[in-house]
Amino acid sequence: MRAGSFWSASLVSVALLLAGDAWATGGRSFLLVGLDGKTFFRPEGSVNGPNGSDGLGVIDISEPARPRLAHVLRLDTSVYGPPTNLQITPDGRLGLVTSPVTMRQEGENWWAQPDDRLHVIDLVAEPPAVIETIRVGRQPSGLAISRVGDVALVANRESRSVSVVRIRGRSVQVVAEVDVGTEAAAVAIAPDGRRAYVAKNKAGTVGVMTYADGQWRHDPGLDMPVGPGTYGLEVTPDGAFALSGNTGPTPSDGHADSVTLIRAGTARPVVVDHVGVGDTAETLAISPDGRRAAIAVVKGSAAPHASPAYTPESAAVLVAILPEGRLRYLGEAPAGAVVQGIAFDPSGEYVYIGNYADRNLGVYRIVGDAIQDTGFRLPLPGQPSSLRGRP
């Protein structure tokens, strides 16, 4: 895709989809999808282009088998960092989206440099709009909003920190920054809002933050080894377990990688199981009932085509989360090239996965203990780099 083609395509899509349809959130379910317009996976390898062609899509999943693109906003975001850099508040009124990097030109090439912006989106406005952009840490990547909706935590890779963001209605304000000692790629908040988990991707560990006496604190003595390149990180709805997805030291290298299970509902969280899921477990989502996790596995689709590790497709993998503290591989279905974000619908019956290089959203259905490709693809006016709904 040419970098300049993003907005010509998106304006046509939005005009068709919004004609005669006033925007409203009442009774409908939505996902946010980040759309990257400046990093491309080509046969010879990944390349960067100029800024200015990114966006955010709002996807209506009220008909879960056939989602539709309801709106597109123009804003800066990026595939650099994990596909969890956005989320909707529990009341559905706001969306938060980070801009991890921008590009700078040196000669004929473009290079990523850390950004520090967090966009606040009013999802109730007609149409939805960016109402504020605030500064957080450097290279803000994965974020998480509490189940109550009063706080968000933002993992900052370059700053090696987690920003604490207070949410009061439409007001969003940074109130603290917690040093976690090393690069932080993603964060997940326990359902009770008293504990959070931090993916330390370069260290291959998951750290623990606790909330007490009005402050978030990080205890490095609780760090847990999970595996190199940990980016995906989520907590089960009951808070009993946390899961991390590990891409390995080099993504799309042909070597199998894993998902790790952490027993989280104890004073000292511990790793209790691992399961192999294939090459590059990019990110994951946990079903609303907490019994399964769906993982976006890139395989070799991000590798140059000349690489012996290259594969044309990725996979959507399903694993069971057993109550005794074990993971069981259930199966997989083929996905498009360079899968990124993944999300369940509120019923837990459908799974959505962003096919970055193919510029579409794939729809899958959970049937018993199997994940099945429905064959439906929602075309997107950009490359889907992240995908999330409400906590």
Side-chain angles (χ1 to χ4, degrees), residues 247-332:
T247 67
T250 305
S252 290
D253 60 3
H255 298 296
D257 299 306
S258 65
V259 169
T260 298
L261 184 68
I262 295 167
R263 190 178 300 280
T266 55
R268 178 177 177 266
V270 293
V271 171
V272 292
D273 201 13
H274 304 270
V275 64
V277 294
D279 182 6
T280 311
E282 182 72 21
T283 194
L284 56 89
I286 296 175
S287 62
D289 63 9
R291 296 173 51 204
R292 301 180 181 92
I295 303 101
V297 180
V298 177
K299 293 192 171 181
S301 64
H305 290 196
S307 167
Y310 171 73
T311 61
E313 293 183 333
S314 310
V317 172
L318 190 68
V319 301
I321 306 169
L322 305 180
E324 64 267 26
R326 291 290 179 267
L327 296 173
R328 186 173 79 237
Y329 176 91
L330 296 175
E332 66 182 66

Side-chain angles (χ1 to χ4, degrees), residues 78-85 98-101 112-116 136-143 154-163 177-187 198-203 229-232 247-249 251 282 340:
S78 177
V79 72
Y80 277 71
T84 56
N85 75 322
T98 73
S99 174
V101 303
Q113 62 182 7
D115 199 359
D116 63 354
V136 288
R138 289 177 59 77
Q139 200 173 346
S141 297
L143 65 80
V154 182
N156 306 308
R157 295 178 65 173
E158 178 75 11
S159 292
R160 301 184 174 192
S161 67
V162 172
S163 293
E177 187 168 339
V178 181
D179 183 359
V180 295
T182 189
E183 191 171 300
V187 63
V198 183
K200 300 182 177 184
N201 56 300
K202 291 287 182 66
T230 178
Y231 288 100
T247 67
E282 182 72 21
Q340 290 295 297

Side-chain angles (χ1 to χ4, degrees), residues 87-98:
Q87 199 163 35
I88 299 172
T89 55
D91 62 9
R93 303 186 70 84
L94 295 180
L96 302 182
V97 186
T98 73

Side-chain angles (χ1 to χ4, degrees), residues 2 11 18 22 32 36 101 112 117 132 157 173 190-191 217 247 252 254 318 341 378 382:
R2 290 183 298 109
L11 289 173
L18 292 185
L32 298 180
D36 185 298
V101 303
R117 289 177 292 163
E132 187 178 13
R157 295 178 65 173
Q173 180 183 9
R217 296 178 175 86
T247 67
S252 290
L318 190 68
L378 174 66

